[in-house]
Amino acid sequence: MSTSKLKLKILKRLDHLSESNLKKFYDLLVSATESKKDISDWDSLSQNQQKGLIEATEEIDHSEGMEHETLLNSLKKNMLKSVS
C-alpha cells in the first residue's frame, strides 16, 4: 500500500471517531512521535491508552462513529433548543 493510500485510510478512520476517542488517539500519536521508545510495544502503553485504542477501534469496526459535521449540527440544534 502506498503512503498516500495509507494516509487516506487513516484519515477516514479518524473522521469516524468520537470526540473523546479522537483526543485519546491524538495524545497517543503525539506521545509516540515525540518519544524515542518503540511504539509497537503494546505493553508500554498505559491501561487508559490501551483502553482508548481498543474503544476507538471497536467504534469504527461497528460503524458507531459519527462524522464531525453531523455531530456539530446535532450539537448546534440541541443548543438552540435549550436557549429557546
Side-chain angles (χ1 to χ4, degrees):
M1 179 180 312
S2 70
T3 55
S4 60
K5 286 184 180 180
L6 181 59
K7 288 177 184 179
L8 183 59
K9 199 171 184 177
I10 291 169
L11 289 173
K12 285 181 180 180
R13 283 190 168 251
L14 290 175
D15 195 40
H16 290 88
L17 290 178
S18 67
E19 182 178 353
S20 65
N21 284 336
L22 183 60
K23 288 178 181 179
K24 289 176 189 176
F25 178 81
Y26 176 77
D27 290 341
L28 286 172
L29 179 64
V30 168
S31 176
T33 56
E34 291 180 355
S35 172
K36 296 185 186 215
K37 293 181 180 177
D38 181 9
I39 63 172
S40 64
D41 190 3
W42 177 258
D43 295 328
S44 69
L45 299 175
S46 72
Q47 287 184 346
N48 282 342
Q49 291 170 325
Q50 290 176 359
K51 183 180 176 189
L53 285 172
I54 291 168
E55 288 174 359
T57 303
E58 288 174 354
E59 264 190 30
I60 291 170
D61 288 345
H62 293 99
S63 299
E64 294 173 2
M66 180 183 289
E67 289 189 23
H68 181 73
E69 187 86 20
T70 304
L71 175 65
L72 287 178
N73 288 336
S74 175
L75 290 172
K76 286 177 187 176
K77 186 176 179 180
N78 288 334
M79 287 179 71
L80 288 175
K81 284 182 183 179
S82 66
V83 173
S84 301

